C-alpha cells in the first residue's frame, strides 16, 4: 500500500529542480537544497557521493543531452523515509523522451536526500 506525503513530494520536486538547474551556481545551489551534505547518487552510469560529485553528474547529463529537461512520470509513491518515482528526459524542441527510468530515494530527518538509487528503463542505443 502506497502512502504519498507532502514530504516525499517536496523531496522529489527539489530533486527535479536540481536536475533541471542550469549553470554551475544554480546546479550547486539546487543540489545543496535537495541532498544532505554526504548524500549519494547511484545509477548504472554513476556512483558518487557529496554535493560536488552529484553536481558533476548533473552537469555531464546536460552536456550529453543539451535542450532536454527531466520531468516526473506519474506520481511519487512513498512511505517512511523512502520514495520512488518515474521520470523521463524530454527534448524541449520536439517533446520526444528518449530516456526514461525510475528512482528510489531515502530521506534524512530534514527531508533531504541521503541516497538515490536510479534505474534506466529506456535509453537510446547511441547514448
Amino acid at each position: 500500500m502506497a502512502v504519498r506525503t507532502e514530504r516525499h513530494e517536496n523531496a522529489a520536486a527539489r530533486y527535479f529542480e536540481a536536475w533541471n538547474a542550469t549553470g554551475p551556481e544554480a546546479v550547486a545551489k539546487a543540489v545543496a537544497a535537495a541532498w544532505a551534505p554526504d548524500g549519494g547518487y547511484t545509477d548504472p552510469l554513476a556512483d558518487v557521493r557529496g554535493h560536488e560529485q552529484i553536481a558533476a553528474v548533473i552537469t555531464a547529463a546536460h552536456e550529453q543531452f543539451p535542450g532536454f529537461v527531466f520531468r516526473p512520470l506519474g506520481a511519487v509513491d512513498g512511505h517512511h523515509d523512502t520514495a520512488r518515482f518515474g521520470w523521463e528526459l524530454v527534448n524541449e524542441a520536439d517533446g520526444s523522451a528518449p530516456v526514461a527510468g525510475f528512482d528510489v530515494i531515502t530521506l534524512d530527518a530534514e527531508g533531504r536526500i541521503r541516497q538515490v538509487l536510479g534505474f534506466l528503463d529506456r535509453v537510446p542505443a547511441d547514448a
Side-chain angles (χ1 to χ4, degrees):
M1 181 167 128
V3 177
R4 288 189 346 214
T5 70
E6 191 172 321
R7 181 172 182 252
H8 298 115
E9 291 172 359
N10 287 343
R14 286 191 309 273
Y15 177 80
F16 284 106
E17 287 171 13
W19 277 98
N20 289 322
T22 56
E25 288 180 24
V27 171
K29 182 177 178 181
V31 166
W35 269 269
D38 63 343
Y41 177 86
T42 302
D43 71 12
L45 307 173
D47 186 12
V48 298
R49 184 152 299 283
H51 290 173
E52 190 174 303
Q53 290 183 359
I54 293 166
V57 168
I58 290 171
T59 299
H62 284 282
E63 290 170 357
Q64 184 176 3
F65 294 98
F68 285 75
V69 294
F70 286 87
R71 298 274 162 84
L73 191 59
V76 176
D77 178 21
H79 62 81
H80 298 89
D81 290 334
T82 305
R84 67 179 178 166
F85 48 85
W87 55 266
E88 59 187 355
L89 186 60
V90 179
N91 183 325
E92 290 186 294
D94 66 13
S96 64
V99 182
F102 79 91
D103 292 345
V104 176
I105 62 174
T106 55
L107 306 176
D108 68 10
E110 286 110 35
R112 292 195 303 172
I113 298 169
R114 283 187 299 175
Q115 182 65 42
V116 175
L117 299 175
F119 296 85
L120 301 173
D121 296 324
R122 180 174 64 236
V123 179
D126 61 348

